[in-house]
Amino acid sequence: MTRAASGPVVPARTPARLPARVEALSVLPVFLPLKGKQVLVAGGTDAAAWKAELLHAAGAHVHVHAPQMGDTMAALVADGRERDGRLIHHAVSWRSAQLEGYALAVADLAGDEAKTFAAAARKAGVSVNIIDQPALCDFQFGSIVNRSPVVVGISTDGAAPVLGQAIRRRIETLLPRHIAVWGALASRIRQKVSERLNSASARRGFWDRFAERALSAPDAPTDEANWHNLLDAAPCTPAQGSVTLVGAGPGDPEHLTLKGMRALQAADVILFDDLVSPELLELARREAKRMLVGKRGGRESCRQEDINALMLRFARQGKNVVRLKAGDPSIFGRSGEEIAFLEAAGIRVRVVPGITTASALAAGLNTSLTHRDTAQAVRFVTGHSRKGMLPETLDWKALADKSTTSIFYMGGRTAEEISRKLLAEGMDAATPVVVAANVSRHNERRWHGPLSALPQGIAQIGYDDPVIIGIGGVFTERLSLMQEDADVPARPQQAALAG
């Protein structure tokens, strides 16, 4: 309680409690410059060699104290001696070293020897790490994603190193290797940017544009020739955007390529087909605008002209546009029409290929579409022309060749005519056929049987979902195995998959 100068006693004010800006950390991630500094590694084991290699890569002069070295450490020291002389082997115990003056001390030791080493290092004022003994460590080595000068460190506080490694692998797939070149460029031009741009907001705008380019550009710059384009770009006038045609694969989000994922992560706008799975869209940049522009046979669809106009409009607004297509853009994906339209309008276009449905079908069957003993060619054929029927120009005699595997896309409603035309050209009525709907998805369904029964197979699969039809001798052995599985009593889902 406090007393006012001329009034009653009033309660003392309690300082306002600020909300936490950072949640509790088990460890503090700190990045330590080691270039030109001296570090000591005690032990000649493989584990010690890995730590010595990391420290050497960080620019340190690494002194290895080990009376005996394993093959890995010996090779590392020999290589370092030949390259830059910063890996020095002392064939004596660490006890002969003067620990004062070292930046770090690392050891692969056990028992009392490890405790003695840790105590000696701390007495000398040196931070210490004893490999695989966290209780004796002042610091830890985390998992590293190296795109130097961009370096990502991951720690689980020693609780789950394998989890840390798994996280590292995931980040490795998302962070393009060319980011290292952009990081090096940023180091070289930082002073020039500060000199050219006086205000903090202008500098922030430049580095925002720089970061967007670094994460989305297919090719990293090798010099400073183009960085002034970003510097001179007026924030109020967006630069010309671009369009990337990305193959989403047949359905399973894990079939998306790394380059496709990076394009999604850099997109401002995503125009996607209705065959693209929701799980795959979850991999996209959360701030991106998403628009369904699906085209489906026999259903109300978005016109190609409207899709072209949308891509052009957003690109002219300076947006990074991703046109996300099921399967591969270049396999019945109308990519040729879209590329021609955009290039005629002066828009930069890139294509990121995807896994086409035929490849996913073969993978799901554990078979090859071009087994050298059965098929020497494979043909991807559209079962649906602009007029909604089979194209009039198909070479049915060539398609009936028994040494060719034929894959019909969008052939559900024309399957009966496909069967009739192939039989008319002399194809064996017993030629094996696979019909699959929703390939690679959790609700995939398959039918298998002879060519003569294809109409019945399509009727069994139905017309509501996209189907693909595989015809050829390459399916013979695999279908025999499928038939054996079908003859064994199975759960309802297994029976459905077996046809």
Side-chain angles (χ1 to χ4, degrees):
M1 304 290 282
T2 60
R3 184 178 297 276
S6 59
V9 174
V10 295
R13 293 186 62 186
T14 302
R17 187 168 185 176
L18 296 175
R21 296 180 62 185
V22 181
E23 297 294 333
L25 292 168
S26 59
V27 293
L28 179 67
V30 174
F31 295 90
L32 182 65
L34 288 177
K35 189 172 183 180
K37 296 184 179 180
Q38 310 293 317
V39 300
L40 184 145
V41 174
T45 63
D46 288 357
W50 170 234
K51 296 299 189 286
E53 186 174 5
L54 279 176
L55 295 165
H56 179 262
H61 292 261
V62 183
H63 295 263
V64 178
H65 282 255
Q68 294 182 330
M69 295 189 295
D71 292 342
T72 303
M73 181 68 87
L76 181 66
V77 168
D79 182 64
R81 184 188 304 117
E82 184 176 335
R83 269 197 295 166
D84 52 31
R86 289 191 291 106
L87 264 166
I88 304 101
H89 177 226
H90 305 270
V92 292
S93 166
W94 64 270
R95 293 174 182 272
S96 63
Q98 296 294 325
L99 291 175
E100 291 81 1
Y102 283 101
L104 297 174
V106 179
D108 188 15
L109 301 171
D112 291 340
E113 183 78 355
K115 295 176 183 178
T116 302
F117 179 87
R122 292 192 182 100
K123 184 177 180 180
V126 180
S127 295
V128 63
N129 175 278
I130 309 295
I131 298 172
D132 290 337
Q133 298 186 59
L136 296 177
C137 295
D138 295 327
F139 66 93
Q140 302 165 352
F141 289 87
S143 296
I144 295 173
V145 178
N146 185 9
R147 302 287 189 270
S148 188
V150 178
V151 179
V152 180
I154 303 141
S155 171
T156 60
D157 195 21
V162 174
L163 175 61
Q165 293 165 12
I167 295 170
R168 175 186 60 78
R169 290 193 295 271
R170 179 64 61 89
I171 296 175
E172 287 270 12
T173 66
L174 294 175
L175 198 60
R177 290 201 168 273
H178 69 240
I179 204 73
V181 183
W182 284 92
L185 177 61
S187 298
R188 297 196 301 272
I189 68 175
R190 176 166 292 279
Q191 183 62 35
K192 295 179 182 179
V193 172
S194 297
E195 293 171 356
R196 287 279 300 273
L197 301 177
N198 297 324
S199 71
S201 61
R203 289 193 294 272
R204 173 64 189 222
F206 169 80
W207 288 116
D208 280 343
R209 295 191 296 276
F210 186 96
E212 286 296 321
R213 284 283 302 278
L215 291 170
S216 61
D219 299 310
T222 56
D223 54 39
E224 301 171 30
N226 296 320
W227 73 273
H228 62 272
N229 294 334
L230 289 172
L231 186 64
D232 296 334
C236 59
T237 306
Q240 182 82 297
S242 63
V243 176
T244 305
L245 310 182
V246 176
D252 184 345
E254 293 194 2
H255 282 325
L256 181 69
T257 65
L258 298 183
K259 184 171 282 190
M261 181 180 295
R262 289 169 186 152
L264 286 178
Q265 290 286 325
D268 298 310
V269 180
I270 301 171
L271 307 178
F272 64 95
D273 290 343
D274 60 356
L275 298 181
V276 173
S277 67
E279 295 85 1
L280 193 146
L281 285 170
E282 286 299 311
L283 301 174
R285 179 170 173 251
R286 296 198 178 279
E287 296 84 358
K289 181 181 181 67
R290 307 175 190 190
M291 300 180 66
L292 172 62
V293 292
K295 301 188 296 295
R296 293 286 293 274
R299 303 184 189 181
E300 184 177 348
S301 302
C302 189
R303 297 187 310 155
Q304 185 63 52
E305 294 81 0
D306 296 332
I307 298 173
N308 291 348
L310 283 171
M311 290 189 293
L312 180 60
R313 187 181 87 195
F314 288 124
R316 283 180 170 169
Q317 292 174 359
K319 307 292 187 184
N320 289 326
V321 182
V322 164
R323 174 73 175 95
L324 189 60
K325 296 169 170 287
D328 182 283
S330 301
I331 305 294
F332 305 121
R334 299 192 186 181
S335 63
E337 300 171 38
E338 295 177 350
I339 292 169
F341 173 82
L342 292 166
E343 288 185 340
I347 302 299
R348 184 167 59 92
V349 185
R350 290 191 299 136
V351 179
V352 177
I355 294 177
T356 190
T357 307
S359 297
L361 173 68
L365 293 171
N366 279 1
T367 194
S368 168
L369 298 179
T370 55
H371 194 293
R372 63 182 180 178
D373 294 333
T374 310
Q376 288 72 54
V378 59
R379 298 194 181 202
F380 296 162
V381 189
T382 178
H384 185 89
S385 69
R386 289 178 180 268
K387 300 178 182 179
M389 59 186 69
L390 283 171
E392 298 174 354
T393 56
L394 292 180
D395 185 348
W396 291 100
K397 184 174 183 61
L399 291 171
D401 182 358
K402 67 178 183 179
S403 65
T404 296
T405 301
S406 295
I407 306 293
F408 285 86
Y409 288 71
M410 301 171 289
R413 299 183 185 278
T414 56
E416 184 173 354
E417 187 177 2
I418 290 171
S419 175
R420 180 166 51 81
K421 285 184 175 292
L422 290 174
L423 291 172
E425 289 294 341
M427 179 170 269
D428 190 338
T431 302
V433 175
V434 176
V435 179
N438 299 318
V439 173
S440 83
R441 302 189 183 209
H442 70 279
N443 58 344
E444 177 177 347
R445 305 189 309 280
R446 297 182 195 143
W447 172 90
H448 65 277
L451 175 62
S452 58
L454 176 55
Q456 292 77 21
I458 285 290
Q460 183 175 330
I461 288 292
Y463 303 95
D464 293 333
D465 297 313
V467 300
I468 190 168
I469 303 170
I471 303 173
V474 296
F475 301 113
T476 301
E477 180 179 355
R478 186 53 50 185
L479 296 189
S480 297
L481 295 175
M482 291 172 64
Q483 184 60 54
E484 291 175 7
D485 291 340
D487 292 338
V488 177
R491 294 191 300 271
Q493 183 181 11
Q494 291 176 318
L497 289 175

